[in-house]
Amino acid sequence: MDNQPVIEVNNLHHTYPNGVQALHGIDLRISSGEYIAVVGQNGSGKTTLAKHLNGLLKPSLGQIKINGIDISPMRISELSRIVGYVFQNPDDMLFCNSVEEEISFGLKLMGFEQSEKQERVEKSLKRMGLEQLRDQHPFTLSLGDRQRVAVACILAITPRIFVFDEPTTGQDYFGGQSIMETIEMLHADGCTILIITHDMRLVAEQAQRVIVMNGGRIAIDAPPGEAFKQLDLLEKLSLRAPQITRLSQLLGWQGEALLDVPGFCDWVEQSWRTQDEAKRW
Amino acid sequence: MVSVIDVSQVTYQYPRKEKPVLKDISFTVPAGQFLAIIGPTGAGKSTLCYTFNGSVPRLFGGVFEGKVAVAGLDTYENEIPVMAQHMGLVVQNARSQLFSVTVEGEVAFGCENLGMPREMILQNIRKAMEFVGLEGLEDRQPSALSGGQQQRVAIACVLAMDPEVLVLDEPTSELDPIGSEQVMRVVARLNRELGKTIVLVTHDTEFAAQYADRVLVLSEGSLVCDGTPKEIFKQEELLAKVRVRAPQVCQAAFELRRRGLPITGIPVTLDEAVQLFRGLNGQPTGH
């Protein structure tokens, strides 16, 4: 197997034109098929980092390689075939009169031939479960459906890396669940996933690796079970483990952080069942 | 008890929409209560908030039936600036309501528009800034602050006008966990220390359970449930039906009860959960 990382960030610095230094030397290796969550307080540099991966921002210093190739000379249109960027608000990228038109727009810009374009549109509609909605105007759809349309547009271009900027923000439970399922599906297809989020439940339940940003630097880079163990450090970084993780720690759990309700219940059930009958009341 | 918000048989339909977004909603809020409104996207939560200052239907148009009174004033009949003296609205994205070049100018703006005397404005700004924990940042540019700080500036802006009621529409949904917690602590203090009536719209049921006295559940424009956090969050089936996620501590209790453990009550806060699960079999052992 190739050990070459799919994304390699070397000593990345970024200073905005107004003088704000948003990134101070980021080093990062991401392997193919990883599911990574980038978290950190507002202003810690998460989005700045992500926007370097699709060329929306250029490094002030340092270098980014994708599939071993330095991306700095690449155009955004070239990069968008490799890295799909899903904005927080799907309305930022939807403007056509039908779902189908919306999905074919990007393909048209990329110069795909009619037959291949149509094939890609069909595949993408099907994969995202949007076949019934193909003729609908995107703005008549629910937020969750619009978000799926936004993903479908990018999916049609078949990038192998997806960046999601705050995919669950402002969504209710059901909407959040639906986008989480979409991301999980892309990951199961072998795509490399990077999400930027404040949603610690999403991080705990889905991500394989958490990168905590603080003041333009990486403060923690670990699997969620390890990252969410460090309560005091998290608090300093303006973060907090999910409620169930905190509950287990308050009850004396000391191992790898328990990340979801079933995991917590397994532990409680097991320790309850192994209690002496007499001690059990 | 004196009610400060009185909603009576409100049905409302936005212009050019086929269905009403609020359907025959009635409830009253006693002065000093901390009320949380939860429900899925599209349930009508924000629209309901907009009826409290009259921007629904005054600004939005549409078909409005029923009556909403805040501090005894009919919000349909009184102009928004009149209502603004009695209810302050803080929206989800504070940035969309901040526009001044300094925090101080921002906080002063509402008071200036109400024509308050200068001395009083200065005093109100100072008190509001202190209350939300932003003293010292008066000369900063609001856009240069963190999301949590911006949200607290937005709260200071309405607090400076000293309304009886503060309505916050998803104030923490774009904030990091600690920023959210800081905003919620300020909101709780507005209620406890200043006696303000609070209406909090949120998707975060863990905050609702921790801070609110009472929870309303909206679904598809109707009020489907009204009770204390304990009464609301113990109803697993109802919550699933209206697509609201219970706090994780409730979910754990539901699940353990299904697995046959003797769960005697449903905890709604972290503290209650610690008590309940400790009592289950002495302290569970680590590892």
Side-chain angles (χ1 to χ4, degrees):
Chain A
M1 258 300 278
D2 52 311
N3 273 332
Q4 187 189 13
V6 60
I7 298 174
E8 194 179 342
V9 178
N10 294 316
N11 192 30
L12 175 64
H13 289 256
H14 190 86
T15 305
Y16 282 102
N18 65 5
V20 173
Q21 293 187 17
L23 298 176
H24 301 267
I26 302 286
D27 288 299
L28 193 57
R29 308 269 170 282
I30 297 173
S31 304
S32 176
E34 273 196 286
Y35 187 151
I36 295 183
V38 181
V39 302
Q41 70 184 108
N42 298 90
S44 59
K46 305 184 294 291
T47 299
T48 304
L49 171 61
K51 283 185 175 164
H52 279 84
L53 301 179
N54 62 352
L56 287 183
L57 291 174
K58 297 281 184 197
S60 305
L61 187 71
Q63 184 196 46
I64 297 161
K65 285 184 182 172
I66 293 182
N67 299 324
I69 300 163
D70 181 358
I71 64 168
S72 58
M74 289 168 80
R75 289 202 314 246
I76 292 176
S77 56
E78 262 175 284
L79 258 175
S80 65
R81 294 188 182 214
I82 309 169
V83 181
Y85 195 99
V86 185
F87 288 91
Q88 178 179 348
N89 184 351
D91 300 342
D92 288 347
M93 60 174 281
L94 301 178
F95 60 95
C96 292
N97 288 321
S98 76
V99 170
E100 188 172 346
E101 215 181 299
E102 197 74 65
I103 298 172
S104 50
F105 183 79
L107 299 170
K108 197 158 58 186
L109 281 190
M110 295 193 165
F112 283 103
E113 303 218 343
Q114 181 60 28
S115 61
E116 176 163 12
K117 197 174 75 185
Q118 205 47 42
E119 195 181 314
R120 282 171 174 260
V121 170
E122 291 308 323
K123 259 193 183 159
S124 182
L125 280 170
K126 188 156 181 241
R127 196 73 183 101
M128 294 309 298
L130 291 166
E131 293 135 303
Q132 308 292 326
L133 302 176
R134 63 193 308 150
D135 296 324
Q136 299 279 313
H137 194 291
F139 287 117
T140 62
L141 305 178
S142 70
L143 175 63
D145 286 340
R146 293 204 302 280
Q147 208 163 20
R148 284 193 297 143
V149 174
V151 175
C153 292
I154 293 162
L155 190 60
I157 301 164
T158 57
R160 297 299 291 164
I161 303 168
F162 280 82
V163 179
F164 286 85
D165 194 351
E166 308 231 10
T168 57
T169 295
Q171 301 247 23
D172 59 16
Y173 172 53
F174 192 77
Q177 205 68 24
S178 142
I179 188 72
M180 280 166 75
E181 280 163 19
T182 301
I183 299 172
E184 194 59 65
M185 177 187 89
L186 295 169
H187 182 231
D189 286 348
C191 293
T192 305
I193 306 284
L194 203 132
I195 56 172
I196 302 167
T197 187
H198 289 312
D199 185 342
M200 295 303 136
R201 193 176 65 92
L202 167 61
V203 175
E205 293 182 6
Q206 287 204 332
Q208 299 168 327
R209 178 176 166 193
V210 189
I211 291 173
V212 182
M213 300 282 296
N214 183 44
R217 293 187 170 84
I218 294 176
I220 302 178
D221 181 349
E226 208 177 297
F228 285 133
K229 241 177 98 171
Q230 311 179 50
L231 289 190
D232 295 343
L233 179 58
L234 286 175
E235 189 96 5
K236 277 196 204 108
L237 300 171
S238 208
L239 296 175
R240 176 165 284 188
Q243 190 181 41
I244 204 71
T245 309
R246 284 180 283 138
L247 174 61
S248 61
Q249 284 157 342
L250 288 169
L251 290 172
W253 175 261
Q254 287 171 359
E256 291 253 304
L258 297 173
L259 298 171
D260 55 16
V261 172
F264 171 81
C265 291
D266 289 347
W267 168 52
V268 174
E269 183 182 7
Q270 199 191 7
S271 51
W272 180 73
R273 294 200 189 282
T274 53
Q275 289 284 315
D276 282 344
E277 205 64 28
K279 273 169 86 181
R280 208 199 276 173
W281 70 67
Chain B
M1 209 178 307
V2 190
S3 69
V4 66
I5 300 176
D6 208 327
V7 178
S8 174
Q9 296 176 317
V10 168
T11 295
Y12 174 68
Q13 188 165 338
Y14 280 107
R16 294 178 299 280
K17 291 283 177 184
E18 283 152 28
K19 283 189 299 189
V21 58
L22 298 175
K23 297 174 199 162
D24 194 24
I25 294 198
S26 300
F27 64 93
T28 61
V29 184
Q33 189 166 65
F34 192 135
L35 176 74
I37 302 180
I38 63 174
T41 303
K45 304 184 298 296
S46 297
T47 306
L48 184 59
C49 290
Y50 293 141
T51 68
F52 297 157
N53 67 0
S55 51
V56 160
R58 280 177 159 270
L59 287 181
F60 289 90
V63 184
F64 183 88
E65 287 165 40
K67 187 179 156 176
V68 176
V70 172
L73 299 169
D74 188 325
T75 67
Y76 188 82
E77 282 166 9
N78 287 278
E79 305 236 358
I80 294 169
V82 174
M83 295 316 303
Q85 299 173 51
H86 300 280
M87 77 78 87
L89 179 65
V90 175
V91 297
Q92 179 175 356
N93 180 349
R95 276 183 307 253
S96 68
Q97 88 183 60
L98 303 179
F99 62 93
S100 293
V101 290
T102 67
V103 169
E104 188 173 38
E106 192 71 60
V107 179
F109 186 76
C111 300
E112 289 165 352
N113 277 280
L114 295 178
M116 278 187 198
R118 182 187 151 82
E119 288 313 312
M120 189 174 170
I121 295 178
L122 289 171
Q123 197 187 348
N124 285 10
I125 295 175
R126 191 178 51 73
K127 281 203 289 200
M129 291 290 287
E130 203 179 282
F131 195 86
V132 301
L134 292 177
E135 63 273 54
L137 300 183
E138 288 81 356
D139 297 329
R140 294 278 294 279
Q141 211 177 325
S143 59
L145 302 179
S146 75
Q149 288 172 329
Q150 288 177 348
Q151 202 56 272
R152 285 185 280 150
V153 171
I155 292 174
C157 289
V158 295
L159 180 59
M161 292 185 274
D162 199 26
E164 295 100 304
V165 180
L166 277 94
V167 179
L168 302 106
D169 190 358
E170 298 194 39
T172 61
S173 68
E174 299 191 0
L175 303 181
D176 59 59
I178 300 295
S180 300
E181 185 75 45
Q182 286 164 346
V183 167
M184 285 309 303
R185 282 203 202 114
V186 167
V187 175
R189 284 177 47 232
L190 288 167
N191 179 249
R192 287 185 205 134
E193 294 172 22
L194 303 182
K196 303 289 183 195
T197 304
I198 303 291
V199 177
L200 170 73
V201 172
T202 186
H203 286 307
D204 191 323
T205 49
E206 282 154 22
F207 278 143
Q210 187 180 350
Y211 291 105
D213 304 316
R214 175 182 172 196
V215 179
L216 299 184
V217 184
L218 282 192
S219 175
E220 294 175 5
S222 299
L223 180 55
V224 294
C225 214
D226 176 355
T228 62
K230 266 207 146 8
E231 288 162 351
I232 300 293
F233 293 121
K234 70 177 184 197
Q235 303 185 58
E236 188 179 10
E237 279 157 32
L238 172 98
L239 296 174
K241 207 175 108 202
V242 299
R243 307 198 311 206
V244 166
R245 188 182 71 90
Q248 282 188 319
V249 293
C250 304
Q251 293 175 33
F254 297 147
E255 174 63 22
L256 287 167
R257 200 164 54 184
R258 264 194 297 278
R259 295 187 188 188
L261 272 68
I263 301 293
T264 46
I266 300 298
V268 298
T269 64
L270 193 56
D271 289 344
E272 285 174 18
V274 171
Q275 295 299 321
L276 182 118
F277 292 118
R278 270 205 184 122
L280 198 59
N281 53 2
Q283 186 141 351
T285 52
H287 305 286

